[in-house]
Amino acid sequence: MSRQANRGTESKKMSSELFTLTYGALVTQLCKDYENDEDVNKQLDKMGYNIGVRLIEDFLARSNVGKCHDFRETADVIAKVAFKMYLGITPSITNWSPAGDEFSLILENNPLVDFVELPDNHSSLIYSNLLCGVLRGALEMVQMAVEAKFVQDTLKGDGVTEIRMRFIRRIEDNLPVGEE
């Protein structure tokens, strides 16, 4: 029985490592295809956005999470459910703004950066910028316009990885009268 449990754990670890290495290959190819880090950062964000737009349906179907009523509740669902479900980590939520429209997700361990060292000539590369795009895309599909950006990164010598989230506005659907 324990042998089967070990296989499941080993399989998840192998899947995680394969994902990390595949992501690394993607970033490496983007660095070859684009002339500067800013273009790579924009492309990673765009790719993440497109993933987020599609991933939200899977998330809502698998998580059985209901509608969030405010940005704090949204932050909890992102950290405690979404990151856990897709990356196997639970970031902490800190640094709420007084208005309650900004917070930070602190990733003690970012699985995307396992086995990664940034070369000196890519000091402005935001290696995990795909995550910001995923967050923006997914939240836009549930009528929330947000800004997401990295403010700290362990790849750049910081102690933790920090993603700063800012609520911009609620997106109103223009549905015909009488439909919800």
Side-chain angles (χ1 to χ4, degrees), residues 25-122:
L26 169 75
V27 175
T28 300
Q29 188 60 50
L30 288 173
C31 288
K32 290 176 184 174
D33 291 347
Y34 292 90
E35 291 185 21
N36 61 54
D37 290 347
E38 282 305 311
D39 290 339
V40 174
N41 294 339
K42 287 177 187 171
Q43 193 63 30
L44 287 169
D45 182 74
K46 182 180 174 183
M47 293 169 83
Y49 177 86
N50 290 329
I51 291 169
V53 163
R54 289 164 181 78
L55 194 64
I56 190 67
E57 288 183 36
D58 177 70
F59 173 75
L60 293 172
R62 289 177 53 200
S63 68
N64 295 319
V65 170
K67 183 177 180 177
C68 294
H69 296 95
D70 60 25
F71 202 44
R72 285 188 184 271
E73 191 177 342
T74 302
D76 279 342
V77 169
I78 290 168
K80 296 174 182 167
V81 183
F83 268 87
K84 184 73 172 170
M85 184 183 292
Y86 293 106
L87 293 176
I89 60 171
T90 305
S92 55
I93 304 166
T94 62
N95 302 328
W96 277 98
S97 66
D101 62 347
E102 288 187 49
F103 67 91
S104 292
L105 292 169
I106 305 294
L107 288 70
E108 300 290 333
N109 179 25
N110 179 356
L112 293 181
V113 301
D114 290 345
F115 321 115
V116 176
E117 286 184 33
L118 284 183
D120 292 337
N121 62 334
H122 288 288

